[in-house]
Amino acid sequence: MSWVGSVWANIGSGSMINFIINSKCDGTVFTHKIFNFKMLTLLFISLFIIVALSALLFKFAISDGDYTLLSKRHVKREEIEDKVVWITGASRGIGEILAKQLASLGAKLILSARNGTELERVRKQLTGKYAPEQVKILPLDLSSEEDRLKEAIDKAESFFPGVGVDYMFHNAAYERPKTTALDVTEESLKATFNVNVFGTISLTRLLTPFMLRRGRGHFVVMSSAAGKTPAPGQAVYSASKYALNGYFHTLRSELCQKGIKVTVVCPGPVATPNGSGATSSTTNVSSEKRVSAERCAELTIIAASHGLKEVWISYQPVLAVMYLVQYMPTIGYWLMDKVGRRRVEAAAEKGNTYSLSLLFGKKKAA
Ligand SMILES: *[C@@H]1O[C@H](CO)[C@@H](O)[C@H](O)[C@H]1NC(C)=O
Ligand SMILES: *[C@@H]1O[C@H](CO)[C@@H](O)[C@H](O)[C@H]1NC(C)=O
Ligand SMILES: *[C@@H]1O[C@H](CO)[C@@H](O)[C@H](O)[C@H]1NC(C)=O
């Protein structure tokens, strides 16, 4: 950038004046040539910058993840193959698809969710180096007491002789239909935090000592775009995801030098089969552009295999809102304040809650 600046400065001050002066008093051809050369260079540089910026903008308009994530094109298979991967919430939605993709990459899987029957159904569908025969089923309710969680961890650690859990995919989450922040029931508040926050953190706190003993371990946390920006109609869900982001980024800052890695994944609207997963399942999805659950799982595994610290997965406009809130919060929060009330209304009518039209007061996207 600096030499572009210096060309500008030269043109602006020296050359232009030289050119004028020299041409007036019978200037040398040499000065003319320098001038033309500089002008041409400038023209090309400007053109290049314009084209590059347009390409970047175009890429941004159609991208389904943040720049860092999309720059890592492929999964590092060697980071996944033969590793023990424990997934919670593996009985459906993104968890089920993560299990499929990880199995085919040659991971040794441990599947958890509340319902063992459902897990068995998922297990039978898996194929890979260790699947389905060596896939372990570990039914678990994240809202249970510490003793139950401890038991589960002991089992998970002993499933594969000689190797403990390498990756913990915290995918289980609780999400209720959208309501205003004031209409959230006590029951819904507690249920959401018990699973999304308390259960997840307890499991992490109990599992980490095993990882520290081995000097390595990696938490992959399915957070949400609602953990990065206000999410009108989902105040409690958003609060639970902000809590996770805070906990896990802090955990990494404390333990990264002892081999603990953390990847926080923030998906926006994701199309999950039969509605369940990281984002809303109750809205009318017909007019919303959602990242497919397969793509979301793929990007999540790419992010984990490259050890990225935080990644965002979403189409526009949610991705742009995330960038705004992160880098220009004054504008980002102003935008969300404009959208907030209408989004709650749209949710009540089961309309599109991710549409730009919310900003302009139209009821529904065309
Ligand atoms: C578990 O899932 C199966 C199959 O979907 C269902 O029949 C069963 O009632 C579920 N069990 C519990 C405890 O929810
Ligand atoms: C989704 O629902 C369809 C039919 O309602 C069913 O055939 C399919 O198995 C379901 N998929 C999942 C992943 O539950
Ligand atoms: C979704 O929206 C369309 C058109 O706005 C409507 O016809 C349909 O009934 C809605 N579906 C649900 C499940 O609300």
Side-chain angles (χ1 to χ4, degrees):
M1 268 310 184
S2 63
W3 68 274
V4 176
S6 75
V7 169
W8 267 112
N10 274 342
I11 300 277
S13 54
S15 317
M16 190 66 90
I17 293 165
N18 268 350
F19 174 69
I20 293 164
I21 293 171
N22 286 330
S23 41
K24 269 201 176 151
C25 33
D26 193 27
T28 59
V29 179
F30 180 70
T31 319
H32 274 278
K33 267 192 182 157
I34 292 273
F35 176 74
N36 286 338
F37 175 71
K38 282 193 173 170
M39 278 304 271
L40 261 170
T41 314
L42 183 68
L43 200 73
F44 274 120
I45 291 166
S46 308
L47 225 82
F48 176 76
I49 292 174
I50 289 168
V51 169
L53 275 180
S54 310
L56 223 60
L57 266 177
F58 178 72
K59 202 179 159 202
F60 184 62
I62 60 162
S63 58
D64 56 2
D66 67 84
Y67 280 125
T68 314
L69 173 57
L70 294 189
S71 72
K72 314 284 182 207
R73 290 172 185 282
H74 304 289
V75 64
K76 274 193 196 165
R77 198 187 166 107
E78 68 275 17
E79 294 290 329
I80 305 291
E81 196 166 2
D82 303 325
K83 301 288 192 297
V84 177
V85 182
W86 186 3
I87 310 171
T88 63
S91 63
R92 51 188 179 156
I94 295 174
E96 177 177 353
I97 291 161
L98 278 171
K100 278 184 191 154
Q101 295 187 5
L102 288 164
S104 69
L105 287 167
K108 300 170 176 168
L109 288 180
I110 305 170
L111 306 183
S112 282
R114 278 172 301 179
N115 191 325
T117 322
E118 286 285 312
L119 289 174
E120 197 55 49
R121 176 187 64 79
V122 173
R123 190 182 74 84
K124 281 189 203 129
Q125 296 173 7
L126 302 180
T127 52
K129 193 168 169 184
Y130 300 98
E133 303 80 17
Q134 295 184 58
V135 173
K136 312 293 181 187
I137 300 289
L138 180 53
L140 175 66
D141 183 350
L142 271 179
S143 58
S144 33
E145 295 299 310
E146 188 171 328
D147 291 348
R148 276 289 300 120
L149 297 181
K150 187 85 188 60
E151 244 174 68
I153 286 167
D154 288 337
K155 272 190 200 154
E157 280 287 317
S158 60
F159 271 142
F160 298 94
V163 285
V165 177
D166 294 303
Y167 286 90
M168 169 91 246
F169 275 66
H170 283 305
N171 168 71
Y174 205 76
E175 191 189 356
R176 284 299 175 86
K178 292 187 176 68
T179 68
T180 65
L182 295 184
D183 288 338
V184 174
T185 62
E186 190 68 11
E187 182 270 333
S188 163
L189 171 64
K190 293 209 165 119
T192 304
F193 266 75
N194 277 341
V195 171
N196 295 12
V197 183
F198 303 139
T200 303
I201 291 179
S202 296
L203 202 62
T204 304
R205 192 170 45 80
L206 296 169
L207 177 62
T208 306
F210 291 93
M211 292 176 164
L212 285 174
R213 248 169 266 153
R214 290 188 291 272
R216 78 195 152 86
H218 193 149
F219 292 99
V220 181
V221 185
M222 297 309 283
S223 181
S224 168
K228 295 299 294 179
T229 70
Q234 299 171 288
V236 168
Y237 180 74
S238 170
S240 74
K241 295 302 188 179
Y242 266 86
L244 276 189
N245 290 9
Y247 179 83
F248 279 98
H249 283 308
T250 305
L251 179 87
R252 185 187 52 237
S253 73
E254 291 177 3
L255 297 177
C256 61
Q257 271 146 13
K258 295 179 178 167
I260 304 297
K261 292 185 189 170
V262 171
T263 300
V264 174
V265 182
C266 302
V270 172
T272 50
N274 302 359
S276 64
T279 50
S280 168
S281 51
T282 49
T283 49
N284 192 335
V285 297
S286 59
S287 52
E288 293 173 8
K289 194 162 181 235
R290 290 167 171 257
V291 177
S292 73
E294 283 76 14
R295 175 70 173 156
C296 181
E298 182 192 2
L299 288 174
T300 298
I301 297 168
I302 289 174
S305 73
H306 286 270
L308 300 183
K309 296 172 183 179
E310 179 174 306
V311 297
W312 303 344
I313 300 172
S314 178
Y315 286 122
Q316 307 297 357
V318 176
L319 187 63
V321 171
M322 295 175 83
Y323 270 99
L324 275 178
V325 170
Q326 176 95 28
Y327 296 107
M328 292 183 235
T330 308
I331 299 174
Y333 289 136
W334 170 83
L335 194 75
M336 289 315 291
D337 290 354
K338 291 271 172 215
V339 166
R341 190 177 51 81
R342 293 200 194 97
R343 185 171 192 242
V344 175
E345 283 166 11
E349 294 165 15
K350 300 203 181 301
N352 183 350
T353 51
Y354 300 100
S355 165
L356 266 183
S357 66
L358 290 175
L359 190 57
F360 307 111
K362 278 182 245 147
K363 283 275 178 195
K364 289 225 168 76

